[in-house]
Amino acid sequence: FLLICLALASFTDEEGYGRFLDLHQCFEIFLNIKGLEKLDYLTYLQKFDRFHEIQKDRKNFEYRQYLLEYLFPYLLDFLKRCKPLINIEKDLINVKQDFELKWEQGIFPGWPKETGGALAKGGASLDLSGFSSWEELASVGLDRLKSALLALGMKCGGTLEERAKRLFATKDKSFEDLDPSLFMKDADKTKRGNKETVRHKEIAGMEAQIYRLVDLLSEQRSATLDNVRRKQARAGEDNEDDEDVGGGDISDDDSGPEEDGLIYNPKNLPLGWDGKPIPYWLYKLHGLNMYFNCEICGNHTYRGPKAFQRHFAEWRHAHGMRCLGIPNTAHFANITSIEDALSLWNKLKNNKDDERWKPEMEEEFEDSLGNVVNKRTYDDLRKQGLL
């Protein structure tokens, strides 16, 4: 419960308590990537996960930074705030495993298996685990030995014996342990090609995880598209009204801050029924610049005194009181601290114990002589046989 309350408190006004995505920052970064198609925000929301449709510039540094530092972190953080009960870490592990299989087979969307790289041109590698000596290795022939040496970037000349010994020397050894003189001058190019392959695989793996996050947030994405269309329709109606009032066309220099459906709201004012920020005087009148924290509600923050007073009768506060084992009565109005609530509840229970009717002290009995005594005294006298 506390986790859900904290997640609800961390949403911005644009996100609407987890109903909408706020990809404006990612959109601005996307527009600054050289070579990519320039889109408006609505089109970006529809196509931002179609990575396989990008024909070029997917392997540069800016695109990698856009995925790793902006798009993926935001979607992951939004999902954790929006759906905190989902075990997303375990889900992403399964995505990575599935991606590894598709990458090895060359069937991952937008990243076909390269056939023109340095290794492909040089030859095919050879598994040396089945050979116990260079003599056995020589039995595969000159051409096969040459192909295997080229695949490793090693010199491939010489006799059958020299090639077999050179290739067999690499068995169970890393490249760092081998003599550099055994390699061709183009070996550095092969190493650079391997580094590029690792970088491309990292980008593709990030795309695979983003595919999964977008799939889990499909409902929020659809709601965001509807919300942006609705805002743009309102902005269009307002522009038409302005044109009617002005009696003429509006020049390009008069374009306001709500161009492209973006609302100008530098003071982060709440939105009214028309989707626009409320007036600042109304914002101050209702005290919406003041924030009140309630520990009983899981440290939830309420904006404005009206919302703060109203929350004592709402479900969140009532649930918090029920978890503490305290009835949500008028005695606990304006109490937000758990310690204060427990202290007052203990005091009320003690007062109730003092006010409770005690029959042994307050119940009255009359003896045969007409004397009136309480129950305890009457029982003592009866046991002594004095009545």
Side-chain angles (χ1 to χ4, degrees):
F1 171 74
L2 293 177
L3 184 63
I4 296 176
C5 290
L6 291 174
L8 289 174
S10 61
F11 289 111
T12 63
D13 291 338
E14 189 70 25
E15 292 172 336
Y17 295 101
R19 293 184 299 164
F20 312 123
L21 295 168
D22 184 9
L23 292 174
H24 287 92
Q25 184 181 15
C26 298
F27 173 61
E28 293 177 358
I29 301 300
F30 179 84
L31 292 179
N32 291 325
I33 300 178
K34 296 180 180 179
L36 296 187
E37 181 184 1
K38 304 304 178 183
L39 309 172
D40 58 86
Y41 185 59
L42 182 60
T43 307
Y44 172 78
L45 289 174
Q46 297 171 334
K47 302 175 62 175
F48 74 89
D49 61 329
R50 300 180 187 176
F51 304 116
H52 58 279
E53 295 183 359
I54 302 177
Q55 300 298 330
K56 56 181 180 178
D57 294 324
R58 294 175 62 197
K59 303 175 182 179
N60 57 26
F61 173 76
E62 293 178 348
Y63 179 76
R64 177 179 177 273
Q65 186 181 33
Y66 159 71
L67 293 182
L68 271 65
E69 299 183 12
Y70 293 96
L71 184 58
F72 175 76
Y74 173 77
L75 293 176
L76 181 61
D77 177 65
F78 182 83
L79 181 65
K80 289 181 178 180
R81 290 181 287 133
C82 179
K83 302 179 180 180
L85 301 181
I86 294 181
N87 189 359
I88 187 59
E89 285 78 11
K90 182 179 179 180
D91 201 354
L92 291 181
I93 291 176
N94 297 331
V95 171
K96 292 177 182 178
Q97 294 175 352
D98 182 62
F99 164 74
E100 290 290 341
L101 296 177
K102 292 183 178 180
W103 180 265
E104 292 298 329
Q105 298 174 7
I107 60 175
F108 187 74
W111 295 90
K113 198 166 185 178
E114 296 184 3
T115 57
L119 294 180
K121 289 182 179 180
S125 59
L126 180 63
D127 186 11
L128 302 179
S129 59
F131 301 94
S132 58
S133 64
W134 68 267
E135 289 86 356
E136 295 181 4
L137 187 58
S139 62
V140 300
L142 278 170
D143 294 337
R144 187 65 184 93
L145 290 175
K146 179 179 179 180
S147 178
L149 289 170
L150 285 174
L152 297 175
M154 302 178 66
K155 296 179 180 179
C156 56
T159 63
L160 177 65
E161 178 181 347
E162 292 174 346
R163 295 182 185 181
K165 289 182 178 180
R166 192 181 305 132
L167 181 60
F168 189 75
T170 64
K171 184 178 180 180
D172 300 328
K173 292 183 180 180
S174 62
F175 282 99
E176 290 76 8
D177 298 333
L178 299 176
D179 186 2
S181 61
L182 297 177
F183 292 89
M184 297 184 293
K185 294 182 180 180
D186 294 337
D188 292 337
K189 296 181 180 180
T190 303
K191 292 181 180 179
R192 286 197 299 269
N194 292 336
K195 290 181 180 179
E196 290 182 359
T197 302
V198 172
R199 186 168 63 252
H200 298 168
K201 184 178 180 181
E202 180 186 12
I203 296 175
M206 190 60 59
E207 291 179 356
Q209 297 180 66
I210 293 175
Y211 285 142
R212 179 54 181 165
L213 295 177
V214 173
D215 183 47
L216 294 174
L217 295 172
S218 59
E219 182 179 351
Q220 285 74 16
R221 181 186 187 182
S222 177
T224 304
L225 288 169
D226 294 339
N227 187 47
V228 172
R229 292 191 186 101
R230 187 165 55 250
K231 288 182 178 180
Q232 291 183 354
R234 290 200 201 101
E237 292 175 357
D238 293 340
N239 291 335
E240 291 178 0
D241 294 340
D242 293 339
E243 291 178 2
D244 294 338
V245 172
D249 296 335
I250 300 177
S251 62
D252 295 338
D253 295 335
D254 296 333
S255 57
E258 295 187 11
E259 186 178 355
D260 297 333
L262 300 180
I263 297 177
Y264 182 69
N265 190 9
K267 294 185 179 181
N268 195 24
L269 300 177
L271 302 181
W273 62 270
D274 57 352
K276 294 182 179 181
I278 64 174
Y280 188 70
W281 65 267
L282 187 62
Y283 169 79
K284 296 284 288 186
L285 177 65
H286 289 285
L288 298 180
N289 57 328
M290 296 183 291
Y291 295 87
F292 301 89
N293 186 65
C294 182
E295 186 181 3
I296 298 176
C297 296
N299 290 322
H300 188 78
T301 302
Y302 295 92
R303 191 173 189 176
K306 185 176 181 180
F308 175 70
Q309 291 296 330
R310 188 172 57 244
H311 98 276
F312 288 104
E314 294 178 346
W315 67 269
R316 183 181 284 109
H317 191 84
H319 180 75
M321 296 288 285
R322 189 161 53 250
C323 292
L324 296 175
I326 303 175
N328 190 24
T329 60
H331 300 87
F332 300 92
N334 298 324
I335 293 181
T336 59
S337 172
I338 294 178
E339 182 179 358
D340 294 344
L342 292 175
S343 177
L344 178 58
W345 175 235
N346 292 330
K347 184 177 180 180
L348 290 175
K349 289 194 294 185
N350 294 334
N351 292 341
K352 289 182 180 179
D353 292 339
D354 295 339
E355 296 173 358
R356 186 180 294 110
W357 184 67
K358 302 175 182 178
E360 68 276 2
M361 297 298 297
E362 299 178 5
E363 188 175 5
E364 296 180 344
F365 287 82
E366 183 178 354
D367 60 6
S368 57
L369 300 177
N371 297 319
V372 178
V373 295
N374 58 37
K375 182 179 180 182
R376 179 182 296 179
T377 304
Y378 181 84
D379 290 340
D380 290 342
L381 293 175
R382 184 173 55 81
K383 290 178 182 179
Q384 297 176 25
L386 300 178
L387 294 177

